[in-house]
């Protein structure tokens, strides 16, 4: 017990704040890009839709370290895009907080995209046709009919995106590194303290992640049931 209290007293809480900040901005990015991507794919037919769907789902299939390597190649200052961002705007991505957000966004994006896609597919087409019959523009139909109808699924996607962002390790390590107080997230901190055989600190961080994940899943289920009007169980 004394060891636990001593560890808590000396614990560096910066990984928690970095992780929460990364999760918030990654969820924000994935929300807009995921909804836009799902809506765009829904409007396509045939091969184009299949190709884009596979591309948007790819980060879910590839190892996070592989995605991190690709991101590192893309944003390195030795490569075209990274060199352009640095020389033109003075922006450096690698080993910065922005790298944490980019890595988490790429890895978590398929969750937001797939949830938005599934929600859009369940919308009654007659509602959209009715809106067009009433003279509503496509943007208005999307804002007033599609988004509210798909709201519960999109919200669930946001919760899962945030939770996945909090647990991201591989791509973040490759692109952002593990700089204490700057890019060191909870997942990276756990890996580091385990390597140092500091199992007490690792256990504390694991408990924090578990409790946060359970809270998020409970919140997602509660809000989804309330919004969708589900009252009972099978």
């Amino acid at each position: 017990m004394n060891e636990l209290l001593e560890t808590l007293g000396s614990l560096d809480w910066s990984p928690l704040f970095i992780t929460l900040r990364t999760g918030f901005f990654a969820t924000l990015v994935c929300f807009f890009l995921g909804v836009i991507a799902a809506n765009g794919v829904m409007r396509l037919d045939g091969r184009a839709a299949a190709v884009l769907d596979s591309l948007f789902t790819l980060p879910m299939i590839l190892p996070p370290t592989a995605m991190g390597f690709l991101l590192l190649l893309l944003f390195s200052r030795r490569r075209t895009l990274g060199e352009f961002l640095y020389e033109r705007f003075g922006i450096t991505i690698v080993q910065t907080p922005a790298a944490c957000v980019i890595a988490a966004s790429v890895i978590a994006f398929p969750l937001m995209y797939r949830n938005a896609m599934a929600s859009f597919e369940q919308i009654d087409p007659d509602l959209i046709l009715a809106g067009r019959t009433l003279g509503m523009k496509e943007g208005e139909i999307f804002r007033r009919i599609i988004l509210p109808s798909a709201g519960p699924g999109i919200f669930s996607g946001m919760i899962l995106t945030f939770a996945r962002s909090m647990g991201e390790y591989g791509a973040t390590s490759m692109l952002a590194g593990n700089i204490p107080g700057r890019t060191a997230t909870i997942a990276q901190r756990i890996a580091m303290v385990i390597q140092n055989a500091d199992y007490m600190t690792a256990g504390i961080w694991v408990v924090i992640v578990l409790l946060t994940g359970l809270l998020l899943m409970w919140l997602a289920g509660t809000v989804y049931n309330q919004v969708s009007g589900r009252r009972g169980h099978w």
Side-chain angles (χ1 to χ4, degrees):
M1 188 65 179
N2 291 333
E3 183 182 358
L4 175 61
L5 294 176
E6 290 178 2
T7 304
L8 284 172
S10 61
L11 196 66
D12 176 16
W13 293 96
S14 63
L16 175 61
F17 302 127
I18 293 172
T19 300
L20 292 175
R21 180 185 64 198
T22 299
F24 173 79
F25 285 109
T27 302
L28 198 62
V29 170
C30 289
F31 167 74
F32 287 105
L33 295 183
V35 169
I36 291 172
N39 183 60
V41 172
M42 284 289 295
R43 296 175 181 275
L44 297 175
D45 294 320
R47 183 176 300 177
V51 170
L52 286 178
D53 184 70
S54 300
L55 181 63
F56 292 149
T57 311
L58 191 61
M60 184 182 295
I61 301 171
L62 291 180
T65 49
M67 291 304 305
F69 177 72
L70 293 176
L71 291 173
L72 185 61
L73 289 179
L74 184 65
F75 289 107
S76 172
R77 282 167 53 179
R78 297 181 179 180
R79 304 296 175 178
T80 303
L81 179 59
E83 183 182 9
F84 172 78
L85 291 174
Y86 180 73
E87 293 185 353
R88 188 67 180 270
F89 304 103
I91 297 176
T92 300
I93 298 298
V94 179
Q95 295 186 342
T96 65
C100 294
V101 176
I102 292 173
S105 299
V106 170
I107 297 301
F109 171 81
L111 293 172
M112 185 70 248
Y113 165 73
R114 299 305 306 180
N115 273 269
M117 176 71 76
S119 300
F120 291 160
E121 289 174 345
Q122 294 177 5
I123 296 176
D124 187 353
D126 291 338
L127 293 176
I128 299 176
L129 293 175
R132 291 171 178 166
T133 301
L134 294 174
M136 297 174 65
K137 297 181 179 180
E138 293 300 318
E140 189 177 6
I141 291 175
F142 182 76
R143 186 178 67 256
R144 299 182 62 180
I145 296 177
I146 296 178
L147 274 183
S149 300
I154 291 176
F155 179 79
S156 296
M158 292 176 64
I159 295 294
L160 292 174
T161 297
F162 185 83
R164 182 65 186 87
S165 299
M166 287 193 63
E168 164 51 28
Y169 172 74
T172 303
S173 297
M174 296 288 291
L175 186 64
N178 188 9
I179 305 174
R182 184 170 172 83
T183 64
T185 61
I186 291 178
Q188 292 172 309
R189 185 62 179 168
I190 291 174
M192 177 179 291
V193 296
I194 287 179
Q195 289 177 356
N196 296 330
D198 186 357
Y199 300 114
M200 179 63 72
T201 302
I204 292 174
W205 283 121
V206 169
V207 170
I208 292 174
V209 171
L210 284 174
L211 292 177
T212 304
L214 289 173
L215 178 62
L216 289 172
M217 295 303 100
W218 173 81
L219 178 63
T222 300
V223 174
Y224 181 88
N225 290 337
Q226 290 179 349
V227 174
S228 61
R230 293 170 59 185
R231 294 293 184 268
H233 302 278
W234 287 102

